[in-house]
Amino acid sequence: MGVVAPGFPEFVANPRRNAGFSPGNISSRSCRWIHSTRFVRSSVAPSIGARDPEASYETITAEVVESKSVGLLMLNRPQVLNALSEVCMREVVAALKGFDALPEVGAIVISGKGKAFAAGVDIKELKNKTMVDSFVNPVLDQWNQVSRIRKPLIAAVNGYALGGGCELAMMCDIILVGEKAVFGQPEIKIGTIPGMGGTQRLIREVGKSRAMEMILTGERFMDAKEACQRGLASRVIEGTNEELVAEAVAMAKNISGMSRPAVIMAKAAVNAAYESHLEEGVKREQAFFGATFGLEDRSEGMAAFFEKRKPNFQNK
Ligand code: CO8
């Protein structure tokens, strides 16, 4: 069972209790949630458990929209440009895991309220951390769990995506940007370096020279247009924040209409290019491709093509 910090609600992972776990159960709030008061006596930070995605939160809002097919998560600390505090990290990870566990949800959108996506990890909290903390109690490592969400994550970025905010966006699978989007890794200016995958992901997105320039100067931020030109983001959505989020939700709804297992396999296969060498990645892709031939959805999709009708995917 995943163990969480004192007072933090956790979905009871006991298989017998969860025998009736289903989306219906979650949305009717009849599933079992507890307030755990246990500690792990270990140096490893406890993993964050899934949480009813529509529970109330302190630092984010989370809801299922578009007939429950899309999870929508908004970072909600606009007064500090959505700085990513520890509470925020726990809430983001728990809500994403909750969306991941809901069978009706096919894709997830992450965005920020106000004029930023996120201006980084909360420096007020970071300034009290010690080197010992980063080894003995690496709480912030839990951000990595975002990259383990199996369903597609779409970041809708307008305004600042700096430091951990840029890294959170890069953990997503697709980035859509508003005209005011600004990406940067300014950690060097406060005497540290990116710690949520920024040094690894940015170089893959924008090449070594531009990544080094951003990371070593902490300046030379990237605007929406350049982010798209370099492939960090897919496209610019003109208009308001609401229009940007609406476009991201529409894309998520579209993806949600595809065969769920095929989508999850496609995401895993594409991500293999990130995580492994080409040969290994191609092998993984071939394995997933072969696996789609075991899907009823694959037969249905191909039959529908020849019958000139919309496929009726059953997610099997
Ligand atoms: N943390 C805490 N508070 C912040 C942060 C932040 N990252 N960013 C902004 N704020 C607060 C400001 O303190 C200010 O609060 P107040 O009104 O109480 O003074 C409020 O947000 C508004 O900010 P500004 O007045 O500064 O707004 P401006 O429009 O003038 O400037 C900037 C906007 C340029 C974005 C500026 O706020 C800024 O430079 N912010 C810090 C950016 C930064 O350095 N980010 C990197 C943080 S470190 C990080 O992310 C490390 C990631 C690795 C983690 C490793 C985990 C394992």
PDB file of all heavy atoms in Angstrom, residues 65-71 99 102-108 151-152 154 248-261 263 297 310 313-315:
ATOM      1  N   VAL A  65     -14.254  16.572 -17.305  1.00  0.00           N
ATOM      2  CA  VAL A  65     -15.110  17.355 -18.193  1.00  0.00           C
ATOM      3  C   VAL A  65     -15.357  16.572 -19.480  1.00  0.00           C
ATOM      4  O   VAL A  65     -14.817  15.480 -19.657  1.00  0.00           O
ATOM      5  CB  VAL A  65     -14.455  18.731 -18.511  1.00  0.00           C
ATOM      6  CG1 VAL A  65     -14.290  19.553 -17.242  1.00  0.00           C
ATOM      7  CG2 VAL A  65     -13.095  18.557 -19.187  1.00  0.00           C
ATOM      8  N   GLU A  66     -16.180  17.155 -20.354  1.00  0.00           N
ATOM      9  CA  GLU A  66     -16.491  16.515 -21.647  1.00  0.00           C
ATOM     10  C   GLU A  66     -17.024  15.101 -21.434  1.00  0.00           C
ATOM     11  O   GLU A  66     -16.425  14.122 -21.870  1.00  0.00           O
ATOM     12  CB  GLU A  66     -15.250  16.492 -22.564  1.00  0.00           C
ATOM     13  CG  GLU A  66     -14.723  17.860 -22.942  1.00  0.00           C
ATOM     14  CD  GLU A  66     -15.695  18.654 -23.818  1.00  0.00           C
ATOM     15  OE1 GLU A  66     -16.567  18.032 -24.461  1.00  0.00           O
ATOM     16  OE2 GLU A  66     -15.596  19.883 -23.819  1.00  0.00           O
ATOM     17  N   SER A  67     -18.161  15.033 -20.745  1.00  0.00           N
ATOM     18  CA  SER A  67     -18.787  13.737 -20.433  1.00  0.00           C
ATOM     19  C   SER A  67     -17.797  12.796 -19.754  1.00  0.00           C
ATOM     20  O   SER A  67     -17.742  11.606 -20.064  1.00  0.00           O
ATOM     21  CB  SER A  67     -19.365  13.074 -21.685  1.00  0.00           C
ATOM     22  OG  SER A  67     -20.139  13.960 -22.406  1.00  0.00           O
ATOM     23  N   LYS A  68     -16.994  13.344 -18.868  1.00  0.00           N
ATOM     24  CA  LYS A  68     -16.024  12.588 -18.070  1.00  0.00           C
ATOM     25  C   LYS A  68     -14.882  11.992 -18.878  1.00  0.00           C
ATOM     26  O   LYS A  68     -14.158  11.128 -18.400  1.00  0.00           O
ATOM     27  CB  LYS A  68     -16.711  11.468 -17.272  1.00  0.00           C
ATOM     28  CG  LYS A  68     -17.753  11.976 -16.311  1.00  0.00           C
ATOM     29  CD  LYS A  68     -18.224  10.865 -15.417  1.00  0.00           C
ATOM     30  CE  LYS A  68     -19.197  11.432 -14.388  1.00  0.00           C
ATOM     31  NZ  LYS A  68     -19.726  10.415 -13.517  1.00  0.00           N
ATOM     32  N   SER A  69     -14.715  12.418 -20.145  1.00  0.00           N
ATOM     33  CA  SER A  69     -13.657  11.806 -20.959  1.00  0.00           C
ATOM     34  C   SER A  69     -12.299  12.482 -20.759  1.00  0.00           C
ATOM     35  O   SER A  69     -11.270  11.937 -21.162  1.00  0.00           O
ATOM     36  CB  SER A  69     -14.037  11.856 -22.447  1.00  0.00           C
ATOM     37  OG  SER A  69     -14.094  13.200 -22.891  1.00  0.00           O
ATOM     38  N   VAL A  70     -12.302  13.673 -20.148  1.00  0.00           N
ATOM     39  CA  VAL A  70     -11.057  14.447 -20.021  1.00  0.00           C
ATOM     40  C   VAL A  70     -10.856  14.882 -18.566  1.00  0.00           C
ATOM     41  O   VAL A  70     -11.783  15.377 -17.923  1.00  0.00           O
ATOM     42  CB  VAL A  70     -11.117  15.709 -20.923  1.00  0.00           C
ATOM     43  CG1 VAL A  70      -9.898  16.607 -20.701  1.00  0.00           C
ATOM     44  CG2 VAL A  70     -11.226  15.318 -22.396  1.00  0.00           C
ATOM     45  N   GLY A  71      -9.641  14.692 -18.063  1.00  0.00           N
ATOM     46  CA  GLY A  71      -9.289  15.228 -16.744  1.00  0.00           C
ATOM     47  C   GLY A  71      -8.671  16.602 -16.934  1.00  0.00           C
ATOM     48  O   GLY A  71      -7.771  16.762 -17.753  1.00  0.00           O
ATOM     49  N   PHE A  99      -6.959  10.498 -12.043  1.00  0.00           N
ATOM     50  CA  PHE A  99      -7.437  10.518 -13.441  1.00  0.00           C
ATOM     51  C   PHE A  99      -6.976   9.252 -14.168  1.00  0.00           C
ATOM     52  O   PHE A  99      -7.716   8.667 -14.953  1.00  0.00           O
ATOM     53  CB  PHE A  99      -6.869  11.732 -14.191  1.00  0.00           C
ATOM     54  CG  PHE A  99      -7.476  13.058 -13.820  1.00  0.00           C
ATOM     55  CD1 PHE A  99      -6.686  14.197 -13.736  1.00  0.00           C
ATOM     56  CD2 PHE A  99      -8.844  13.190 -13.588  1.00  0.00           C
ATOM     57  CE1 PHE A  99      -7.231  15.432 -13.419  1.00  0.00           C
ATOM     58  CE2 PHE A  99      -9.399  14.425 -13.266  1.00  0.00           C
ATOM     59  CZ  PHE A  99      -8.587  15.544 -13.183  1.00  0.00           C
ATOM     60  N   LEU A 102      -9.222   6.359 -13.596  1.00  0.00           N
ATOM     61  CA  LEU A 102     -10.628   6.444 -14.022  1.00  0.00           C
ATOM     62  C   LEU A 102     -10.770   5.949 -15.459  1.00  0.00           C
ATOM     63  O   LEU A 102     -10.306   6.613 -16.382  1.00  0.00           O
ATOM     64  CB  LEU A 102     -11.109   7.896 -13.967  1.00  0.00           C
ATOM     65  CG  LEU A 102     -11.605   8.451 -12.644  1.00  0.00           C
ATOM     66  CD1 LEU A 102     -12.007   9.907 -12.803  1.00  0.00           C
ATOM     67  CD2 LEU A 102     -12.789   7.651 -12.135  1.00  0.00           C
ATOM     68  N   PRO A 103     -11.435   4.834 -15.687  1.00  0.00           N
ATOM     69  CA  PRO A 103     -11.496   4.303 -17.045  1.00  0.00           C
ATOM     70  C   PRO A 103     -12.129   5.246 -18.078  1.00  0.00           C
ATOM     71  O   PRO A 103     -11.748   5.221 -19.241  1.00  0.00           O
ATOM     72  CB  PRO A 103     -12.331   3.036 -16.900  1.00  0.00           C
ATOM     73  CG  PRO A 103     -12.138   2.627 -15.487  1.00  0.00           C
ATOM     74  CD  PRO A 103     -12.009   3.906 -14.702  1.00  0.00           C
ATOM     75  N   GLU A 104     -13.070   6.101 -17.665  1.00  0.00           N
ATOM     76  CA  GLU A 104     -13.697   6.979 -18.685  1.00  0.00           C
ATOM     77  C   GLU A 104     -12.749   8.054 -19.180  1.00  0.00           C
ATOM     78  O   GLU A 104     -12.911   8.563 -20.274  1.00  0.00           O
ATOM     79  CB  GLU A 104     -14.920   7.720 -18.131  1.00  0.00           C
ATOM     80  CG  GLU A 104     -16.005   6.870 -17.574  1.00  0.00           C
ATOM     81  CD  GLU A 104     -15.995   6.984 -16.064  1.00  0.00           C
ATOM     82  OE1 GLU A 104     -14.885   6.831 -15.486  1.00  0.00           O
ATOM     83  OE2 GLU A 104     -17.052   7.210 -15.479  1.00  0.00           O
ATOM     84  N   VAL A 105     -11.788   8.450 -18.331  1.00  0.00           N
ATOM     85  CA  VAL A 105     -10.873   9.530 -18.715  1.00  0.00           C
ATOM     86  C   VAL A 105      -9.836   8.978 -19.696  1.00  0.00           C
ATOM     87  O   VAL A 105      -9.157   8.006 -19.421  1.00  0.00           O
ATOM     88  CB  VAL A 105     -10.168  10.123 -17.469  1.00  0.00           C
ATOM     89  CG1 VAL A 105      -9.031  11.058 -17.871  1.00  0.00           C
ATOM     90  CG2 VAL A 105     -11.176  10.869 -16.604  1.00  0.00           C
ATOM     91  N   GLY A 106      -9.732   9.641 -20.864  1.00  0.00           N
ATOM     92  CA  GLY A 106      -8.795   9.147 -21.877  1.00  0.00           C
ATOM     93  C   GLY A 106      -7.566  10.016 -22.038  1.00  0.00           C
ATOM     94  O   GLY A 106      -6.568   9.582 -22.613  1.00  0.00           O
ATOM     95  N   ALA A 107      -7.624  11.250 -21.564  1.00  0.00           N
ATOM     96  CA  ALA A 107      -6.469  12.152 -21.661  1.00  0.00           C
ATOM     97  C   ALA A 107      -6.648  13.268 -20.637  1.00  0.00           C
ATOM     98  O   ALA A 107      -7.771  13.509 -20.161  1.00  0.00           O
ATOM     99  CB  ALA A 107      -6.343  12.725 -23.071  1.00  0.00           C
ATOM    100  N   ILE A 108      -5.534  13.919 -20.313  1.00  0.00           N
ATOM    101  CA  ILE A 108      -5.524  14.879 -19.198  1.00  0.00           C
ATOM    102  C   ILE A 108      -4.884  16.192 -19.661  1.00  0.00           C
ATOM    103  O   ILE A 108      -3.866  16.172 -20.369  1.00  0.00           O
ATOM    104  CB  ILE A 108      -4.716  14.283 -18.022  1.00  0.00           C
ATOM    105  CG1 ILE A 108      -5.339  12.949 -17.567  1.00  0.00           C
ATOM    106  CG2 ILE A 108      -4.648  15.269 -16.852  1.00  0.00           C
ATOM    107  CD1 ILE A 108      -4.400  12.064 -16.759  1.00  0.00           C
ATOM    108  N   LYS A 151      -1.750   7.783 -19.229  1.00  0.00           N
ATOM    109  CA  LYS A 151      -2.606   8.437 -20.225  1.00  0.00           C
ATOM    110  C   LYS A 151      -1.936   9.718 -20.728  1.00  0.00           C
ATOM    111  O   LYS A 151      -1.138  10.327 -20.006  1.00  0.00           O
ATOM    112  CB  LYS A 151      -3.966   8.747 -19.597  1.00  0.00           C
ATOM    113  CG  LYS A 151      -4.746   7.468 -19.309  1.00  0.00           C
ATOM    114  CD  LYS A 151      -6.019   7.724 -18.547  1.00  0.00           C
ATOM    115  CE  LYS A 151      -6.668   6.381 -18.220  1.00  0.00           C
ATOM    116  NZ  LYS A 151      -7.801   6.539 -17.286  1.00  0.00           N
ATOM    117  N   PRO A 152      -2.273  10.140 -21.950  1.00  0.00           N
ATOM    118  CA  PRO A 152      -1.631  11.344 -22.494  1.00  0.00           C
ATOM    119  C   PRO A 152      -1.889  12.582 -21.646  1.00  0.00           C
ATOM    120  O   PRO A 152      -3.008  12.829 -21.194  1.00  0.00           O
ATOM    121  CB  PRO A 152      -2.280  11.489 -23.875  1.00  0.00           C
ATOM    122  CG  PRO A 152      -2.729  10.121 -24.228  1.00  0.00           C
ATOM    123  CD  PRO A 152      -3.145   9.478 -22.938  1.00  0.00           C
ATOM    124  N   ILE A 154      -1.565  16.707 -21.702  1.00  0.00           N
ATOM    125  CA  ILE A 154      -1.402  17.876 -22.582  1.00  0.00           C
ATOM    126  C   ILE A 154      -1.210  19.102 -21.690  1.00  0.00           C
ATOM    127  O   ILE A 154      -2.073  19.403 -20.858  1.00  0.00           O
ATOM    128  CB  ILE A 154      -2.645  18.069 -23.473  1.00  0.00           C
ATOM    129  CG1 ILE A 154      -2.897  16.802 -24.315  1.00  0.00           C
ATOM    130  CG2 ILE A 154      -2.485  19.306 -24.364  1.00  0.00           C
ATOM    131  CD1 ILE A 154      -4.227  16.794 -25.030  1.00  0.00           C
ATOM    132  N   ALA A 248      -6.968  22.750 -25.800  1.00  0.00           N
ATOM    133  CA  ALA A 248      -6.294  21.572 -25.223  1.00  0.00           C
ATOM    134  C   ALA A 248      -7.323  20.518 -24.816  1.00  0.00           C
ATOM    135  O   ALA A 248      -7.116  19.312 -25.032  1.00  0.00           O
ATOM    136  CB  ALA A 248      -5.449  21.991 -24.022  1.00  0.00           C
ATOM    137  N   VAL A 249      -8.435  20.965 -24.242  1.00  0.00           N
ATOM    138  CA  VAL A 249      -9.488  20.022 -23.831  1.00  0.00           C
ATOM    139  C   VAL A 249     -10.092  19.349 -25.075  1.00  0.00           C
ATOM    140  O   VAL A 249     -10.351  18.137 -25.074  1.00  0.00           O
ATOM    141  CB  VAL A 249     -10.572  20.744 -22.992  1.00  0.00           C
ATOM    142  CG1 VAL A 249     -11.812  19.873 -22.827  1.00  0.00           C
ATOM    143  CG2 VAL A 249     -10.011  21.125 -21.613  1.00  0.00           C
ATOM    144  N   ALA A 250     -10.272  20.122 -26.149  1.00  0.00           N
ATOM    145  CA  ALA A 250     -10.822  19.527 -27.383  1.00  0.00           C
ATOM    146  C   ALA A 250      -9.874  18.451 -27.920  1.00  0.00           C
ATOM    147  O   ALA A 250     -10.311  17.375 -28.358  1.00  0.00           O
ATOM    148  CB  ALA A 250     -11.046  20.619 -28.427  1.00  0.00           C
ATOM    149  N   MET A 251      -8.572  18.728 -27.855  1.00  0.00           N
ATOM    150  CA  MET A 251      -7.608  17.730 -28.317  1.00  0.00           C
ATOM    151  C   MET A 251      -7.657  16.482 -27.424  1.00  0.00           C
ATOM    152  O   MET A 251      -7.639  15.341 -27.903  1.00  0.00           O
ATOM    153  CB  MET A 251      -6.195  18.316 -28.308  1.00  0.00           C
ATOM    154  CG  MET A 251      -5.155  17.341 -28.809  1.00  0.00           C
ATOM    155  SD  MET A 251      -3.480  17.934 -28.549  1.00  0.00           S
ATOM    156  CE  MET A 251      -3.291  19.013 -29.942  1.00  0.00           C
ATOM    157  N   ALA A 252      -7.746  16.720 -26.106  1.00  0.00           N
ATOM    158  CA  ALA A 252      -7.813  15.596 -25.164  1.00  0.00           C
ATOM    159  C   ALA A 252      -9.067  14.765 -25.417  1.00  0.00           C
ATOM    160  O   ALA A 252      -9.029  13.525 -25.372  1.00  0.00           O
ATOM    161  CB  ALA A 252      -7.805  16.118 -23.727  1.00  0.00           C
ATOM    162  N   LYS A 253     -10.180  15.441 -25.715  1.00  0.00           N
ATOM    163  CA  LYS A 253     -11.437  14.716 -25.982  1.00  0.00           C
ATOM    164  C   LYS A 253     -11.290  13.853 -27.243  1.00  0.00           C
ATOM    165  O   LYS A 253     -11.740  12.706 -27.297  1.00  0.00           O
ATOM    166  CB  LYS A 253     -12.573  15.724 -26.160  1.00  0.00           C
ATOM    167  CG  LYS A 253     -13.927  15.077 -26.302  1.00  0.00           C
ATOM    168  CD  LYS A 253     -15.009  16.088 -26.560  1.00  0.00           C
ATOM    169  CE  LYS A 253     -16.333  15.377 -26.809  1.00  0.00           C
ATOM    170  NZ  LYS A 253     -17.326  16.300 -27.364  1.00  0.00           N
ATOM    171  N   ASN A 254     -10.644  14.420 -28.241  1.00  0.00           N
ATOM    172  CA  ASN A 254     -10.415  13.686 -29.484  1.00  0.00           C
ATOM    173  C   ASN A 254      -9.590  12.418 -29.206  1.00  0.00           C
ATOM    174  O   ASN A 254      -9.952  11.306 -29.631  1.00  0.00           O
ATOM    175  CB  ASN A 254      -9.702  14.628 -30.475  1.00  0.00           C
ATOM    176  CG  ASN A 254      -9.448  13.973 -31.806  1.00  0.00           C
ATOM    177  OD1 ASN A 254     -10.103  13.007 -32.175  1.00  0.00           O
ATOM    178  ND2 ASN A 254      -8.479  14.494 -32.528  1.00  0.00           N
ATOM    179  N   ILE A 255      -8.514  12.579 -28.444  1.00  0.00           N
ATOM    180  CA  ILE A 255      -7.656  11.419 -28.112  1.00  0.00           C
ATOM    181  C   ILE A 255      -8.446  10.411 -27.288  1.00  0.00           C
ATOM    182  O   ILE A 255      -8.323   9.190 -27.470  1.00  0.00           O
ATOM    183  CB  ILE A 255      -6.393  11.891 -27.347  1.00  0.00           C
ATOM    184  CG1 ILE A 255      -5.498  12.716 -28.271  1.00  0.00           C
ATOM    185  CG2 ILE A 255      -5.625  10.709 -26.750  1.00  0.00           C
ATOM    186  CD1 ILE A 255      -4.347  13.436 -27.583  1.00  0.00           C
ATOM    187  N   SER A 256      -9.301  10.927 -26.419  1.00  0.00           N
ATOM    188  CA  SER A 256     -10.090  10.050 -25.554  1.00  0.00           C
ATOM    189  C   SER A 256     -11.056   9.170 -26.350  1.00  0.00           C
ATOM    190  O   SER A 256     -11.489   8.118 -25.872  1.00  0.00           O
ATOM    191  CB  SER A 256     -10.866  10.919 -24.552  1.00  0.00           C
ATOM    192  OG  SER A 256     -11.345  10.141 -23.520  1.00  0.00           O
ATOM    193  N   GLY A 257     -11.384   9.612 -27.559  1.00  0.00           N
ATOM    194  CA  GLY A 257     -12.287   8.817 -28.407  1.00  0.00           C
ATOM    195  C   GLY A 257     -11.586   7.672 -29.119  1.00  0.00           C
ATOM    196  O   GLY A 257     -12.227   6.836 -29.755  1.00  0.00           O
ATOM    197  N   MET A 258     -10.261   7.624 -29.042  1.00  0.00           N
ATOM    198  CA  MET A 258      -9.511   6.527 -29.676  1.00  0.00           C
ATOM    199  C   MET A 258      -9.515   5.309 -28.750  1.00  0.00           C
ATOM    200  O   MET A 258      -9.897   5.400 -27.595  1.00  0.00           O
ATOM    201  CB  MET A 258      -8.057   6.941 -29.931  1.00  0.00           C
ATOM    202  CG  MET A 258      -7.877   8.242 -30.671  1.00  0.00           C
ATOM    203  SD  MET A 258      -8.582   8.162 -32.327  1.00  0.00           S
ATOM    204  CE  MET A 258      -8.488   9.889 -32.812  1.00  0.00           C
ATOM    205  N   SER A 259      -9.031   4.184 -29.288  1.00  0.00           N
ATOM    206  CA  SER A 259      -8.932   2.983 -28.462  1.00  0.00           C
ATOM    207  C   SER A 259      -7.965   3.250 -27.305  1.00  0.00           C
ATOM    208  O   SER A 259      -6.798   3.593 -27.524  1.00  0.00           O
ATOM    209  CB  SER A 259      -8.414   1.820 -29.309  1.00  0.00           C
ATOM    210  OG  SER A 259      -8.024   0.755 -28.471  1.00  0.00           O
ATOM    211  N   ARG A 260      -8.466   3.120 -26.073  1.00  0.00           N
ATOM    212  CA  ARG A 260      -7.643   3.454 -24.890  1.00  0.00           C
ATOM    213  C   ARG A 260      -6.337   2.647 -24.846  1.00  0.00           C
ATOM    214  O   ARG A 260      -5.264   3.219 -24.668  1.00  0.00           O
ATOM    215  CB  ARG A 260      -8.492   3.212 -23.637  1.00  0.00           C
ATOM    216  CG  ARG A 260      -7.972   3.755 -22.339  1.00  0.00           C
ATOM    217  CD  ARG A 260      -8.184   5.243 -22.139  1.00  0.00           C
ATOM    218  NE  ARG A 260      -9.208   5.869 -22.927  1.00  0.00           N
ATOM    219  CZ  ARG A 260     -10.475   6.059 -22.574  1.00  0.00           C
ATOM    220  NH1 ARG A 260     -10.908   5.654 -21.427  1.00  0.00           N
ATOM    221  NH2 ARG A 260     -11.314   6.683 -23.360  1.00  0.00           N
ATOM    222  N   PRO A 261      -6.402   1.290 -25.023  1.00  0.00           N
ATOM    223  CA  PRO A 261      -5.131   0.554 -24.960  1.00  0.00           C
ATOM    224  C   PRO A 261      -4.177   0.934 -26.083  1.00  0.00           C
ATOM    225  O   PRO A 261      -2.953   0.979 -25.872  1.00  0.00           O
ATOM    226  CB  PRO A 261      -5.547  -0.922 -25.050  1.00  0.00           C
ATOM    227  CG  PRO A 261      -6.966  -0.921 -25.491  1.00  0.00           C
ATOM    228  CD  PRO A 261      -7.561   0.387 -25.110  1.00  0.00           C
ATOM    229  N   VAL A 263      -3.892   3.898 -27.437  1.00  0.00           N
ATOM    230  CA  VAL A 263      -3.309   5.197 -27.057  1.00  0.00           C
ATOM    231  C   VAL A 263      -2.192   5.005 -26.037  1.00  0.00           C
ATOM    232  O   VAL A 263      -1.105   5.586 -26.151  1.00  0.00           O
ATOM    233  CB  VAL A 263      -4.408   6.139 -26.487  1.00  0.00           C
ATOM    234  CG1 VAL A 263      -3.789   7.325 -25.766  1.00  0.00           C
ATOM    235  CG2 VAL A 263      -5.325   6.628 -27.604  1.00  0.00           C
ATOM    236  N   ASP A 297     -10.268  -3.621 -30.708  1.00  0.00           N
ATOM    237  CA  ASP A 297     -10.338  -2.273 -31.278  1.00  0.00           C
ATOM    238  C   ASP A 297      -9.569  -2.173 -32.590  1.00  0.00           C
ATOM    239  O   ASP A 297      -9.917  -1.387 -33.463  1.00  0.00           O
ATOM    240  CB  ASP A 297      -9.777  -1.235 -30.294  1.00  0.00           C
ATOM    241  CG  ASP A 297     -10.730  -0.967 -29.142  1.00  0.00           C
ATOM    242  OD1 ASP A 297     -11.922  -1.296 -29.269  1.00  0.00           O
ATOM    243  OD2 ASP A 297     -10.272  -0.424 -28.115  1.00  0.00           O
ATOM    244  N   LYS A 310     -17.621   5.474 -38.600  1.00  0.00           N
ATOM    245  CA  LYS A 310     -16.792   5.804 -37.437  1.00  0.00           C
ATOM    246  C   LYS A 310     -16.566   4.528 -36.617  1.00  0.00           C
ATOM    247  O   LYS A 310     -17.532   3.776 -36.393  1.00  0.00           O
ATOM    248  CB  LYS A 310     -17.552   6.837 -36.593  1.00  0.00           C
ATOM    249  CG  LYS A 310     -16.709   7.627 -35.647  1.00  0.00           C
ATOM    250  CD  LYS A 310     -17.535   8.800 -35.088  1.00  0.00           C
ATOM    251  CE  LYS A 310     -16.732   9.567 -34.072  1.00  0.00           C
ATOM    252  NZ  LYS A 310     -16.808   9.105 -32.724  1.00  0.00           N
ATOM    253  N   PHE A 313     -15.016   1.956 -30.727  1.00  0.00           N
ATOM    254  CA  PHE A 313     -13.997   1.331 -29.890  1.00  0.00           C
ATOM    255  C   PHE A 313     -14.573   0.928 -28.536  1.00  0.00           C
ATOM    256  O   PHE A 313     -15.329   1.659 -27.916  1.00  0.00           O
ATOM    257  CB  PHE A 313     -12.827   2.298 -29.676  1.00  0.00           C
ATOM    258  CG  PHE A 313     -12.019   2.566 -30.916  1.00  0.00           C
ATOM    259  CD1 PHE A 313     -11.700   3.864 -31.289  1.00  0.00           C
ATOM    260  CD2 PHE A 313     -11.567   1.519 -31.713  1.00  0.00           C
ATOM    261  CE1 PHE A 313     -10.945   4.118 -32.425  1.00  0.00           C
ATOM    262  CE2 PHE A 313     -10.815   1.760 -32.857  1.00  0.00           C
ATOM    263  CZ  PHE A 313     -10.510   3.065 -33.206  1.00  0.00           C
ATOM    264  N   GLN A 314     -14.179  -0.249 -28.085  1.00  0.00           N
ATOM    265  CA  GLN A 314     -14.637  -0.759 -26.784  1.00  0.00           C
ATOM    266  C   GLN A 314     -13.515  -0.763 -25.748  1.00  0.00           C
ATOM    267  O   GLN A 314     -13.664  -1.310 -24.661  1.00  0.00           O
ATOM    268  CB  GLN A 314     -15.175  -2.191 -26.947  1.00  0.00           C
ATOM    269  CG  GLN A 314     -16.376  -2.313 -27.885  1.00  0.00           C
ATOM    270  CD  GLN A 314     -17.573  -1.526 -27.366  1.00  0.00           C
ATOM    271  OE1 GLN A 314     -17.883  -1.575 -26.177  1.00  0.00           O
ATOM    272  NE2 GLN A 314     -18.240  -0.791 -28.253  1.00  0.00           N
ATOM    273  N   ASN A 315     -12.375  -0.227 -26.158  1.00  0.00           N
ATOM    274  CA  ASN A 315     -11.198  -0.209 -25.279  1.00  0.00           C
ATOM    275  C   ASN A 315     -10.774  -1.616 -24.857  1.00  0.00           C
ATOM    276  O   ASN A 315     -10.404  -1.860 -23.716  1.00  0.00           O
ATOM    277  CB  ASN A 315     -11.423   0.688 -24.055  1.00  0.00           C
ATOM    278  CG  ASN A 315     -11.758   2.100 -24.465  1.00  0.00           C
ATOM    279  OD1 ASN A 315     -11.204   2.605 -25.439  1.00  0.00           O
ATOM    280  ND2 ASN A 315     -12.669   2.742 -23.767  1.00  0.00           N
TER     281      ASN A 315
END
